[in-house]
């Protein structure tokens, strides 16, 4: 049992150091795991006849997921050892793999449809020695700041600087990304929350204007109502005063009529 394990470890180490094709390494991993699990099943069959198949399946799933997560080649790319080739595949920023093998030393992303690079895409590739990014329609707005900062951190003899140029906006077309000034890039930035803040301010202004109009209408109505109330009160007082005078005149006229009779 232990000799099989040592043999598999030596075999996989040899394939890794010799930079064999990723598919061959993956096949070797599967064959070695199958051999080890078969030996383990034979040893444990006499003790746990029911649990052994489940244990073997569990080990296979766990090791399979671990190997795929560490050494699998990104989708739409081809891998040859530590070389990852994603060139000439019409990749866009949204279809670009979000994670690359950590042991990548050479990365090809040229001749695609990339406008920006996702933040921190290249930061964890400590062994990276060469990257080709030419032949992409780079948009030199806020999204290019990460690529510009990454290029500025590279050595002065890095030859790919001269091939990475802007395609948009028109005023920056043809400019080298590494030589862009941050202020001229920020001039083309349009953040969605800035538009949201502007829309909120406009809505607030409209709301205040409507409230002011309603308040002015209420004030005008109250003044009009007060004027009508005063007019009605004066009319009522005049009518009552007129009825009082008429009643007094009638009371004075009655005694005079009696005396004449």
């Amino acid at each position: 049992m232990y000799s099989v394990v040592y043999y598999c470890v030596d075999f996989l180490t040899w394939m890794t150091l010799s930079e064999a094709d990723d598919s061959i390494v993956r096949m070797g991993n599967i064959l070695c795991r199958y051999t080890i699990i078969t030996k383990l099943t034979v040893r444990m069959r006499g003790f746990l006849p029911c649990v052994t198949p489940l244990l073997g399946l569990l080990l296979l799933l766990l090791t399979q997921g671990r190997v795929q997560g560490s050494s699998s080649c990104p989708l739409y790319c081809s891998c040859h050892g530590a070389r990852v080739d994603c060139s000439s595949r019409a990749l866009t920023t949204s279809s670009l793999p979000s994670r690359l093998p950590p042991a990548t030393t050479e990365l090809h992303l040229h001749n695609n449809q990339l406008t920006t690079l996702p933040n921190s895409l290249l930061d964890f590739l400590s062994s990276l020695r060469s990257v080709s990014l030419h032949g992409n329609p780079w948009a030199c707005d806020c999204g290019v700041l990460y690529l510009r900062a990454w290029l500025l951190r590279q050595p002065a003899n890095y030859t790919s600087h001269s091939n990475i140029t802007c395609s948009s906006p028109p005023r920056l077309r043809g400019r080298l990304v590494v030589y862009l000034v941050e202020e001229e890039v920020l001039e083309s930035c349009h953040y969605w929350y800035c538009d949201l803040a502007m829309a909120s301010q406009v809505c607030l202004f409209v709301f205040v204007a409507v409230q002011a109009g309603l308040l002015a209408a209420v004030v005008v109505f109250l003044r009009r109502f007060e004027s009508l109330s005063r007019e009605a009160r004066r009319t009522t007082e005049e009518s009552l005063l007129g009825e009082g005078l008429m009643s007094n005149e009638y009371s004075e006229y009655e005694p005079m009529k009696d005396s004449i009779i």
Side-chain angles (χ1 to χ4, degrees):
M1 174 65 185
Y2 294 108
S3 61
V4 174
V5 175
Y6 293 147
Y7 169 76
C8 285
V9 171
D10 293 338
F11 176 68
L12 294 177
T13 303
W14 174 80
M15 285 195 299
T16 303
L17 293 178
S18 63
E19 295 187 352
D21 189 80
D22 187 67
S23 60
I24 299 178
V25 176
R26 201 175 309 166
M27 183 62 67
N29 284 329
I30 295 174
L31 290 176
C32 284
R33 286 198 306 274
Y34 178 77
T35 303
I36 294 173
I37 292 172
T38 302
K39 292 289 185 181
L40 184 62
T41 302
V42 172
R43 290 293 183 89
M44 298 181 63
R45 186 170 295 169
F47 300 98
L48 300 173
C50 296
V51 179
T52 299
L54 296 178
L55 180 60
L57 179 60
L58 179 61
L59 289 174
L60 181 62
L61 292 176
L62 290 176
T63 54
Q64 176 71 16
R66 190 172 302 172
V67 170
Q68 286 183 353
S70 59
S71 61
S72 60
C73 189
L75 188 64
Y76 308 121
C77 302
S78 61
C79 300
H80 304 280
R83 178 174 175 267
V84 180
D85 187 3
C86 304
S87 62
S88 303
R89 285 170 169 81
L91 294 178
T92 62
T93 303
S94 58
S95 61
L96 186 68
S98 59
R99 300 187 65 180
L100 298 169
T104 302
T105 60
E106 186 177 346
L107 178 61
H108 297 280
L109 294 174
H110 57 273
N111 296 335
N112 284 302
Q113 298 299 318
L114 301 176
T115 56
T116 59
L117 279 185
N119 291 338
S120 72
L121 177 67
L122 306 176
D123 293 345
F124 301 103
L125 304 179
S126 57
S127 303
L128 191 62
R129 298 193 302 266
S130 174
V131 181
S132 60
L133 297 168
H134 59 276
N136 288 292
W138 299 108
C140 293
D141 51 14
C142 290
V144 83
L145 290 177
Y146 167 72
L147 176 59
R148 173 182 173 273
W150 185 85
L151 291 173
L152 289 174
R153 293 196 301 267
Q154 305 312 305
N157 58 353
Y158 196 71
T159 58
S160 296
H161 290 179
S162 59
N163 298 325
I164 307 174
T165 58
C166 302
S167 293
S168 62
R171 61 184 179 84
L172 297 177
R173 185 174 298 160
R175 294 278 302 277
L176 292 174
V177 172
V178 70
Y179 294 134
L180 291 175
V181 181
E182 188 171 353
E183 286 73 15
E184 61 184 355
V185 175
L186 293 177
E187 290 178 359
S188 61
C189 293
H190 298 286
Y191 294 107
W192 65 268
Y193 45 82
C194 293
D195 297 335
L196 180 62
M198 181 65 67
S200 300
Q201 291 180 356
V202 172
C203 292
L204 181 61
F205 176 77
V206 172
F207 177 77
V208 171
V210 171
Q211 293 296 319
L214 291 175
L215 181 61
V218 169
V219 171
V220 171
F221 174 78
L222 290 177
R223 289 183 177 178
R224 179 63 177 169
F225 180 77
E226 184 180 2
S227 176
L228 292 175
S229 298
R230 286 199 301 267
E231 185 70 24
R233 194 163 46 246
R234 186 171 60 251
T235 304
T236 303
E237 291 176 355
E238 290 178 354
S239 62
L240 292 176
L241 181 59
E243 291 179 356
L245 292 176
M246 289 181 62
S247 61
N248 289 335
E249 291 178 356
Y250 180 76
S251 59
E252 291 177 358
Y253 176 74
E254 285 294 331
M256 292 177 60
K257 183 178 177 182
D258 294 338
S259 60
I260 293 174
I261 294 175

